Amino acid sequence: APVVIEYERPVELPADTLASAASVLLLPTGELLLSDTARGSLVVASADGRVIRRMGTPGSAPGQLNRPAHLAVIMHKDLRVNNVPVSHSLLVGERGTNRVQQLALPGGGHMRYSTAPKLRDPHGMCVAAQRVFVSDPTSHAIRILQQHTLRTESVLNAASVEGKDFNPHGLAAHGGKLYA
């Protein structure tokens, strides 16, 4: 079936809301999540552009955000974090780092993070088949992380895909296929 995109009008956010938006994601709640790379935080907005809350603070400690850029959502069944039910969590790839963090939604509490010495610049991310796929164009690779631990499971690189100029950025998965 074809994908239908409805476009009514642009969403206008107040000028002081974002310093540098890198990604936007539609949450299962219908809210928009925007990464503010320059301010080291995430902005949750309604579909009409009303700011609901800001999540995260700048920094490099677990739960803090260092140039958050790329986003993906994981849906959960029967997951509890600190005895609070979590229906979905957010993956945040931080530009220019080797870190992908997982935050509980709706509150944004830190769950876990992954640092991989050879992951130099996480870009596009998607979730499929209990795995998290993270593109790393600086390393000319796609890292495959285990969804529940964020540990590196394997790596796809130029040799794996028989491509001399393998430089993946955005990722999508559908029907058992990964698109880069």
Side-chain angles (χ1 to χ4, degrees):
V3 174
V4 177
I5 299 173
E6 291 185 20
Y7 178 81
E8 294 179 18
R9 64 179 177 80
V11 173
E12 295 182 20
L13 296 172
D16 63 345
T17 302
L18 293 169
S20 176
S23 291
V24 63
L25 184 69
L26 180 62
L27 295 173
T29 59
E31 299 166 329
L32 300 173
L33 181 71
L34 301 102
S35 60
D36 190 345
T37 301
R39 290 190 178 141
S41 64
L42 305 170
V43 174
V44 179
S46 63
D48 65 0
R50 184 178 44 85
V51 174
I52 297 169
R53 70 183 171 279
R54 187 175 282 276
M55 295 174 13
T57 59
S60 57
Q64 293 181 320
L65 301 169
N66 183 3
R67 299 181 68 210
H70 308 285
L71 308 169
V73 170
I74 298 176
M75 302 303 291
H76 299 285
K77 291 182 182 176
D78 303 321
L79 177 67
R80 296 181 80 74
V81 176
N82 296 327
N83 212 20
V84 176
V86 174
S87 61
H88 50 286
S89 60
L90 174 69
L91 296 172
V92 181
E94 298 174 76
R95 184 174 284 159
T97 71
N98 66 341
R99 187 165 83 160
V100 173
Q101 291 201 68
Q102 186 174 13
L103 306 175
L105 289 175
H110 183 258
M111 291 174 62
R112 63 181 63 90
Y113 68 96
S114 170
T115 57
K118 294 183 180 180
L119 176 63
R120 294 194 283 186
D121 195 10
H123 267 65
M125 292 188 294
C126 69
V127 179
Q130 302 295 310
R131 290 177 176 80
V132 177
F133 297 88
V134 182
S135 67
D136 184 1
T138 305
S139 297
H140 304 281
I142 296 172
R143 299 227 174 253
I144 303 170
L145 310 178
Q146 297 170 357
Q147 179 177 315
H148 299 292
T149 63
L150 294 185
R151 291 193 179 115
T152 300
E153 182 176 295
S154 59
V155 178
L156 295 172
N157 55 29
S160 305
V161 297
E162 299 177 11
K164 293 180 183 178
D165 295 323
F166 188 61
N167 193 19
H169 281 78
L171 297 176
H174 180 71
K177 293 182 180 182
L178 178 66
Y179 299 90

